[in-house]
Amino acid sequence: MPTSKQVRDSFIDFFKARSHQFVPSSPIVPVGDESLLFTNAGMNQFKDIFTGRTQPEYHRAVNSQKCLRVSGKHNDLEEVGKDGYHHTFFEMLGNWSFDDYFKAETIEWAWELVTKVWGIPADSLWVTVFAGDKGDNLPRDEEAEKLWKKVTSIQPQRVLTFDRKDNFWEMGNSGPCGPCSEIHVDLGPESCNMKNVKGHKCAVNGDCGRFIEIWNLVFIQFNRSQKGKLTPLKARYIDTGAGLERIVAVLQGKRSDYETDLFTPITNAISDITNHKYTSRPDSKTDTAFRVIADHIRSLVFAITDGVTPSNEGRGYVIRRILRRASRFSRTLDMHEPFIYKLVPVVVDILSDAFAEIKQRADYVSTVIKSEEEAFSRTLDRGIEIFNTTTERAEKTKRKSISGEDAFQLYDTYGFPLDLTELMAAERGLQVDTEKFSKLMEQQRQRARAAQKTNLLEVDASDSELPKTEDRLKYKSDFCQTRILGWIEHGNFKKEGEIQAVSEGLGLVLEKTCFYAEAGGQAGDCGIIESDKGRFIVESTTKIADCVIHQGKLSEGSLAAGQKVKAQVSGDREAIRKNHTATHLLQWALQQVCGENVAQQGSYVGPDYLRFDFTYPKAMTDKQTKKVEKLIREQINRNLPVTSSVMPKSEAEQIGAMALFGEKYGSEVRVVAIGVDNKDDIQQAFSREFCGGTHVENIGSIGSFKIIKEESVSAGVRRITALTGNALIEFLEQRSDILEQLSTKLKAPAEKVPDRLAKLIKDNKNLSKELKNASKKGGSDVMDEAKKLLEQAEKSGKSYLIVGQLSETTIEQGRAAIDMLKKKAKSAAIVIGFADNDKVTLLAGVTDDLVKEGISAGDILRQIAPIVDGGGGGRPQMAQAGGKNPEKLKEALDKALQLVKEKLKNE
């Protein structure tokens, strides 16, 4: 029985023996492709090759790609745990041809590998081909159908045709696509999980577990535009994908992926920790929890390793959903304390041979997961309590669903993703008003997006062929003479005509440029592009594939395609250079002070400041911060040279150059080194990094360096913001002005200001203490009055109706009195009021048992506050209101007592 490692290696070796270049897996986060949240197929990293935007370095490729399918068109999240073969994270074995071989070789090699190398019996195999589609005007794939019967030994009746749903592969709503041919394995009648369903028949692409797809051969011939139009590609490509987990299950003779050596170490570890046993039953809630957690920990390890941190937006929110879903299922295993992070080393042991990066970042990943588990654990139990109250209310009123408002509160206040609320509701036989929830979510998103700029220069790949820009001058010059090739306007690339003045959404494309396009954390350049007829203001510079786009607006005259122009980068370039080189110095210094495990997590390099995110489990001390600054300034004072060299990636790794986790690099990389001026001596440099950015020639020109902030970004990630050059001088001048002002106001020389402030703070603390003591004395009187109200209170069953007026006091003391009354009474509805000159304060509190009965402190105050010419409200448990008519305070309190009595009577 082959191991999963042997299966993976056999696939890769098979195609390497047929002249395929092994290409390492790209990161889980697609590099330079914002159309995808996560890499969901092996072909993602080759998308620009398929669309003709870049030329391939090789014409045949093979790899095992790490994939995550949790969003968009390919989303398996909700299915995970219900059966033995759905996953969020999986490995996609694949081979590719870039305008080299096509269908015949693909089919022949696939059959050879499956039947001869892996030894799967031919009489258990079925294949499918594309039946055609009238809507897209596509014919039946007769070529593939004939080839299966010609170049393989498959029985002709086992070649089946299916429609677009099953046999036309598309990565998303737009992009490269084409007909596909799938290989299916018949696992035998005993694998059918629908034997008891009347009328069920096992079939390929059916709805039972007997026939499973193990390999998809995609013949990429078309590109679908954002408008849905199909156009033939200039070249033909092969893109195949075989799920490693399913193939391993077949070759190891397992009915479930979770019984293979890819998962059993994880399920065994879960069993050891929880004292529950995994029995491989699809209908067991305990086994479902095992499968969910075993799957989700793999996704978490790889996504966090590649740079995703849990958050409330985008990729971070998806990862948070996965983690919280796993945490919720851990309750099924009676686990109320964090434990999922303990599974990280198990995943590393299984998969680090193929993906070394997860071993390098294992400690960091564990820190992030543990922190998230702890944070969610603090709100989960309270959220479940609120959920139970909500469902009890729904069941009591015979409603069959949870309101969108309640679902949104669980999300917004307690961090419950919608799918988690739906899961818990389904367990109670209830649905969730997702339509209302979605409306509330969209309102929140609109508020968040209000201040954000949208990308106005998205280009439809199928309708536009963007030219390659020669941009080597960005390292050598701030000025060049060039020619306009065209421009992007409202998503379309135009190569002819004259550029009209538009308010937004204009991107100029040049034959060559000296502008740096935003990449690697460095801001894109700004500047001017002009001719004798027109002037274009470049506000930012970006890149799509190999095309540099100068975004901005036409400020004067007109420009036309083919016209010669002058391009001048703004003076900000020098400040950016200083900050970028300083960022390299900062990473070096952090590793000296905080340890070699410090790794860059992200950065921003602009003209005004630099920002550097790095892995570190705790806040830096003042001593560490000062040490980092000292080391950097010492190097700056040495005025050492900065050099760069382009070399093979393997050579750069051998000399110890640092790469950014989650970044995709080609076969050649640029290495920036500090401390040597000869490319041959790069290995001797004290700082060596993969980097495509712009840098100073000598670090002495940076001037100086100052950290102005060190803070937490997320669990295990710290952020430093720092200044150099003129920005630092301006900062220090501002601080000097502030110090002079303080010196004048405090009537103390600058060197004595800290002592003078310390004395003022100490005096203020003493005064606050005295005031607090005086307040406590007054507070004891309020508590005595509140106790008397309890003694005089009416009762309704076991519940107290505590309503009355207190002497003049503070809101804090009034709230404290309500908390005290709740504890003493156990079950109570409380409304108190007090006057202060011409103002009235009303406070209400309701114990949880009465909240469940429908009594709300907020509702009570909303009805009585108008009596005192006021308003207010709050939560069901505690609320506050104010008014302007003290004379009607008694009337308002009487009304409150009446409302509570009526409510309790009705209940």
Side-chain angles (χ1 to χ4, degrees):
M1 185 174 70
T3 65
S4 55
K5 182 181 185 304
Q6 289 171 333
V7 175
R8 184 192 298 111
D9 290 346
S10 66
F11 183 94
I12 293 169
D13 291 343
F14 180 88
F15 285 102
K16 284 173 71 175
R18 288 155 182 77
S19 304
H20 286 63
Q21 171 72 40
F22 174 72
V23 181
S25 170
S26 64
I28 278 275
V29 178
V31 178
D33 186 357
E34 292 303 316
S35 67
L36 288 173
L37 275 180
F38 297 100
T39 298
N40 61 15
M43 63 82 66
N44 291 165
Q45 66 173 307
F46 304 119
K47 183 178 176 182
D48 284 341
I49 295 176
F50 295 144
T51 57
R53 287 179 172 175
T54 60
Q55 294 301 311
E57 299 177 20
Y58 30 75
H59 289 282
R60 298 181 179 187
V62 61
N63 87 344
S64 181
Q65 174 64 49
K66 46 193 181 183
C67 298
L68 204 58
R69 290 188 174 177
V70 286
S71 59
K73 183 177 180 180
H74 303 286
N75 184 355
D76 291 335
L77 180 61
E78 299 308 317
E79 300 304 315
V80 171
K82 296 178 182 178
D83 54 39
Y85 52 86
H86 274 98
H87 307 288
T88 52
F89 172 85
F90 65 97
E91 284 185 62
M92 179 79 83
L93 301 172
N95 62 288
W96 290 269
S97 166
F98 307 121
D99 204 22
D100 187 4
Y101 63 84
F102 201 47
K103 294 182 183 179
E105 295 90 339
T106 305
I107 291 171
E108 185 176 1
W109 288 339
W111 185 259
E112 181 183 353
L113 178 58
V114 170
T115 59
K116 295 182 179 179
V117 178
W118 288 340
I120 299 176
D123 59 6
S124 69
L125 297 173
W126 295 71
V127 299
T128 63
V129 296
F130 181 49
D133 185 85
K134 290 183 179 179
D136 280 327
N137 196 28
L138 293 174
R140 179 182 179 128
D141 191 354
E142 293 182 355
E143 180 185 6
E145 188 175 9
K146 290 176 181 178
L147 283 168
W148 274 111
K149 299 172 184 178
K150 178 182 177 182
V151 301
T152 78
S153 59
I154 194 168
Q155 299 173 33
Q157 66 270 24
R158 289 174 175 259
V159 180
L160 309 176
T161 58
F162 285 89
D163 61 16
R164 172 178 160 181
K165 175 180 175 292
D166 293 305
N167 278 89
F168 193 87
W169 194 90
E170 301 189 67
M171 185 177 64
N173 294 325
S174 62
C177 55
C180 64
S181 187
E182 297 177 338
I183 301 175
H184 296 253
V185 176
D186 181 358
L187 300 178
E190 65 277 7
S191 297
C192 176
N193 54 357
M194 300 186 69
K195 294 176 182 177
N196 298 325
V197 178
K198 187 177 180 180
H200 170 74
K201 290 184 179 181
C202 298
V204 172
N205 285 330
D207 50 4
C208 74
R210 176 174 172 177
F211 295 90
I212 65 164
E213 175 216 331
I214 59 168
W215 202 348
N216 189 6
L217 315 178
V218 182
F219 313 122
I220 295 184
Q221 301 170 242
F222 305 100
N223 196 87
R224 189 178 296 279
S225 73
Q226 293 174 1
K227 297 176 183 177
K229 179 184 176 184
L230 280 181
T231 54
L233 293 168
K234 288 185 176 180
R236 299 186 304 178
Y237 306 99
I238 290 297
D239 161 35
T240 84
L244 175 67
E245 291 77 8
R246 287 192 183 183
I247 291 172
V248 171
V250 171
L251 297 181
Q252 292 184 356
K254 307 297 183 182
R255 294 188 181 181
S256 163
D257 297 353
Y258 293 93
E259 296 173 32
T260 69
D261 64 349
L262 287 166
F263 287 94
T264 50
I266 305 175
T267 53
N268 288 341
I270 296 171
S271 180
D272 291 342
I273 295 170
T274 65
N275 292 320
H276 285 269
K277 297 297 180 184
Y278 181 62
T279 60
S280 300
R281 289 171 53 202
D283 57 347
S284 163
K285 287 186 177 180
T286 298
D287 285 355
T288 297
F290 268 85
R291 288 188 288 269
V292 168
I293 296 168
D295 171 86
H296 289 7
I297 185 60
R298 291 173 15 125
S299 294
L300 294 168
V301 167
F302 278 91
I304 296 169
T305 291
D306 281 351
V308 183
T309 53
S311 68
N312 286 329
E313 290 293 330
R315 297 181 177 105
Y317 177 57
V318 175
I319 296 306
R320 178 165 279 170
R321 282 175 60 200
I322 291 173
L323 203 159
R324 293 185 171 183
R325 192 169 187 263
S327 293
R328 163 67 175 80
F329 273 96
S330 71
R331 293 297 200 272
T332 306
L333 304 178
D334 302 317
M335 295 299 294
H336 292 267
E337 297 297 325
F339 87 95
I340 296 170
Y341 73 95
K342 296 178 181 178
L343 302 174
V344 172
V346 186
V347 177
V348 171
D349 286 343
I350 301 168
L351 294 168
S352 61
D353 280 348
F355 307 102
E357 62 271 20
I358 63 174
K359 188 171 186 177
Q360 298 170 32
R361 307 201 85 187
D363 290 343
Y364 164 66
V365 172
S366 295
T367 299
V368 172
I369 294 176
K370 183 180 181 183
S371 176
E372 273 291 307
E373 283 191 89
E374 290 172 340
F376 188 46
S377 181
R378 287 192 290 268
T379 60
L380 180 58
D381 290 330
R382 178 58 179 157
I384 289 174
E385 192 178 308
I386 298 297
F387 174 83
N388 289 337
T389 300
T390 301
T391 54
E392 286 169 10
R393 190 162 60 242
E395 290 165 350
K396 193 170 184 178
T397 56
K398 297 184 179 180
R399 285 191 289 113
K400 296 295 184 182
S401 66
I402 294 172
S403 71
E405 289 86 354
D406 286 336
F408 184 75
Q409 183 196 13
L410 284 166
Y411 160 77
D412 202 36
T413 306
Y414 299 102
F416 275 42
L418 177 61
D419 50 8
L420 180 55
T421 302
E422 289 182 301
L423 174 69
M424 294 168 63
E427 291 173 354
R428 302 280 288 264
L430 297 171
Q431 295 180 329
V432 179
D433 183 355
T434 55
E435 185 177 342
K436 181 62 176 179
F437 176 89
S438 298
K439 287 180 180 178
L440 294 170
M441 277 295 295
E442 183 56 31
Q443 290 171 11
Q444 188 181 72
R445 290 192 191 102
Q446 287 175 357
R447 290 192 294 270
R449 286 195 298 255
Q452 294 180 350
K453 288 185 177 180
T454 56
N455 182 9
L456 299 166
L457 297 181
E458 292 181 352
V459 182
D460 191 330
S462 63
D463 297 335
S464 307
E465 294 182 6
L466 298 177
K468 181 178 180 179
T469 309
E470 172 55 64
D471 65 346
R472 285 178 294 181
L473 286 171
K474 64 190 177 188
Y475 298 125
K476 302 175 182 178
S477 176
D478 296 344
F479 172 83
C480 72
Q481 294 186 350
T482 182
R483 187 169 64 91
I484 297 174
L485 295 183
W487 69 97
I488 297 171
E489 184 178 345
H490 303 308
N492 297 310
F493 178 58
K494 300 182 179 181
K495 296 181 283 187
E496 297 177 351
E498 192 174 88
I499 302 173
Q500 301 295 323
V502 292
S503 58
E504 56 184 1
L506 195 63
L508 211 56
V509 177
L510 307 177
E511 186 176 49
K512 64 179 180 180
T513 185
C514 55
F515 281 69
Y516 179 88
E518 179 183 347
Q522 180 175 328
D525 283 333
C526 302
I528 302 292
I529 297 172
E530 60 184 346
S531 70
D532 54 357
K533 293 184 178 180
R535 182 182 177 89
F536 185 86
I537 308 294
V538 181
E539 297 170 337
S540 65
T541 306
T542 57
K543 202 171 189 179
I544 297 179
D546 294 324
C547 182
V548 176
I549 300 168
H550 307 78
Q551 299 186 31
K553 58 187 178 183
L554 193 67
S555 63
E556 296 177 20
S558 64
L559 294 173
Q563 195 172 46
K564 291 183 178 180
V565 290
K566 298 174 182 178
Q568 176 69 59
V569 179
S570 74
D572 286 343
R573 164 72 74 82
E574 185 58 27
I576 292 174
R577 284 193 184 110
K578 291 177 180 179
N579 281 337
H580 202 153
T581 307
T583 302
H584 286 218
L585 289 172
L586 175 57
Q587 178 157 227
W588 165 79
L590 283 168
Q591 291 185 340
Q592 303 302 305
V593 175
C594 300
E596 292 184 358
N597 287 332
V598 165
Q600 180 177 346
Q601 190 69 12
S603 67
Y604 169 77
V605 178
D608 301 321
Y609 66 95
L610 66 92
R611 189 178 67 223
F612 187 79
D613 297 346
F614 60 100
T615 56
Y616 197 59
K618 56 187 177 182
M620 291 176 66
T621 64
D622 288 341
K623 185 177 180 181
Q624 286 176 314
T625 302
K626 286 181 170 57
K627 179 65 174 174
V628 167
E629 290 178 330
K630 183 174 182 290
L631 287 173
I632 294 173
R633 289 171 190 155
E634 285 175 351
Q635 295 291 11
I636 290 172
N637 291 336
R638 293 174 65 192
N639 195 27
L640 297 169
V642 179
T643 191
S644 65
S645 178
V646 176
M647 62 183 72
K649 180 170 175 274
S650 58
E651 183 182 333
E653 290 171 338
Q654 287 173 6
I655 65 172
M658 287 188 292
L660 176 63
F661 275 104
E663 191 70 29
K664 176 65 178 175
Y665 298 99
S667 58
E668 287 193 332
V669 296
R670 182 171 180 260
V671 175
V672 172
I674 305 175
V676 295
D677 55 8
N678 191 321
K679 295 179 180 181
D680 295 333
D681 298 328
I682 280 183
Q683 193 165 357
Q684 309 304 318
F686 71 86
S687 169
R688 301 177 300 278
E689 292 191 33
F690 289 34
C691 183
T694 57
H695 291 269
V696 296
E697 294 182 357
N698 294 279
I699 57 177
S701 63
I702 295 173
S704 192
F705 177 91
K706 173 69 177 172
I707 294 173
I708 60 171
K709 185 186 290 185
E710 193 274 346
E711 59 188 325
S712 171
V713 177
S714 61
V717 180
R718 307 297 300 177
R719 170 174 290 172
I720 281 177
T721 304
L723 302 175
T724 69
N726 290 334
L728 176 54
I729 292 172
E730 292 175 7
F731 173 80
L732 295 175
E733 286 177 347
Q734 291 172 0
R735 291 299 173 96
S736 178
D737 290 343
I738 293 170
L739 182 58
E740 286 181 14
Q741 292 174 31
L742 286 172
S743 179
T744 301
K745 290 182 178 180
L746 296 173
K747 297 179 181 179
E751 62 273 16
K752 295 290 185 182
V753 165
D755 292 338
R756 180 77 176 113
L757 279 174
K759 185 176 185 306
L760 284 173
I761 292 169
K762 183 179 179 181
D763 291 345
N764 187 56
K765 283 184 177 178
N766 291 335
L767 182 59
S768 296
K769 191 174 181 180
E770 292 176 11
L771 289 171
K772 193 173 182 180
N773 289 334
S775 176
K776 281 182 178 178
K777 185 178 178 182
S780 63
D781 295 338
V782 171
M783 291 299 178
D784 289 340
E785 290 182 31
K787 289 174 185 176
K788 287 182 180 178
L789 290 178
L790 175 59
E791 293 170 2
Q792 300 165 2
E794 297 183 31
K795 288 189 74 174
S796 176
K798 295 181 180 180
S799 302
Y800 286 87
L801 284 62
I802 308 170
V803 180
Q805 183 172 346
L806 300 178
S807 302
E808 183 180 331
T809 184
T810 64
I811 292 173
E812 289 75 15
Q813 290 172 354
R815 284 177 172 270
I818 287 179
D819 289 339
M820 179 272 293
L821 290 171
K822 281 184 177 181
K823 289 178 182 178
K824 285 186 173 292
K826 308 298 183 187
S827 176
I830 308 159
V831 182
I832 59 175
F834 54 88
D836 180 9
N837 295 323
D838 58 348
K839 294 181 180 179
V840 176
T841 299
L842 293 168
L843 297 172
V846 179
T847 52
D848 287 341
D849 63 315
L850 295 184
V851 169
K852 291 179 182 179
E853 297 295 326
I855 300 177
S856 167
D859 290 346
I860 293 170
L861 292 194
R862 274 189 285 273
Q863 293 184 65
I864 69 169
I867 297 173
V868 291
D869 300 335
R875 297 181 296 110
Q877 291 85 358
M878 178 72 80
Q880 176 182 330
K884 304 173 185 176
N885 192 344
E887 293 180 1
K888 291 195 174 183
L889 176 56
K890 184 178 183 304
E891 181 183 340
L893 294 173
D894 289 342
K895 178 65 174 178
L897 184 61
Q898 178 190 339
L899 289 170
V900 175
K901 282 181 177 180
E902 290 175 355
K903 191 70 177 176
L904 285 173
K905 184 178 179 181
N906 292 334
E907 292 295 331

